[in-house]
Amino acid sequence: MRYSTYQSIYKPVNSEALKSNIGQFRTFMSRLKFSKGLIKLAIASLIIFIGCSTVLTVFAGNENDLLPGGKIAVSQGETLWSISLEHKPTSMDTRVYIEAIKKVNQLESATIQTGQVLILPQFVK
């Protein structure tokens, strides 16, 4: 039998090299702690930036500026989303324009029918 014990399979461990590796690992980990703080700061900044830009986009059109505009007949296959994409102001969020369409037309849901006439909202500039 060539290998009779567990330790005989492996080469002996050089304890000095092991201590050196542990020291290098501790140095790496101390640097990583500093980097974790920077990463957390970057993630928090990104979340705040995205949150603020989303709020500004959603509220780009003020509800008080809402006026009835032109009329459109719903064609087959059209949805409030597709109509909104065609007729909304460029700086307005599509979801806000859909809600405006629903409000002007007194719709309780986003369901529309072919041939239905919708009033398109317009906003004061």
Side-chain angles (χ1 to χ4, degrees):
M1 198 158 147
R2 187 169 178 192
Y3 298 111
S4 60
T5 64
Y6 174 76
Q7 288 190 349
S8 65
I9 297 173
Y10 302 102
K11 294 180 183 178
V13 176
N14 183 346
S15 62
E16 292 302 318
L18 183 62
K19 287 179 185 177
S20 173
N21 287 342
I22 290 173
Q24 289 175 353
F25 180 72
R26 285 184 180 156
T27 305
F28 173 75
M29 290 304 289
S30 65
R31 287 184 192 156
L32 188 62
K33 287 179 186 174
F34 179 72
S35 297
K36 282 183 181 179
L38 286 177
I39 291 171
K40 287 179 182 178
L41 179 64
I43 290 172
S45 300
L46 183 64
I47 289 171
I48 291 170
F49 176 76
I50 290 171
C52 289
S53 63
T54 302
V55 167
L56 290 176
T57 302
V58 168
F59 294 109
N62 188 348
E63 189 175 306
N64 298 330
D65 298 337
L66 183 62
L67 298 172
K71 294 182 179 182
I72 184 172
V74 178
S75 300
Q76 186 171 358
E78 282 188 316
T79 62
L80 285 180
W81 187 269
S82 64
I83 292 170
S84 295
L85 288 175
E86 286 182 39
H87 300 283
K88 72 177 181 69
T90 53
S91 62
M92 183 179 285
D93 187 80
T94 306
R95 296 167 292 190
V96 173
Y97 197 75
I98 289 172
E99 290 303 316
I101 291 174
K102 287 169 58 177
K103 183 175 182 178
V104 168
N105 292 283
Q106 300 175 350
L107 300 174
E108 293 181 12
S109 70
T111 305
I112 55 175
Q113 303 294 323
T114 302
Q116 183 176 358
V117 177
L118 295 176
I119 300 170
L120 296 176
Q122 293 184 353
F123 292 85
V124 176
K125 294 181 182 181

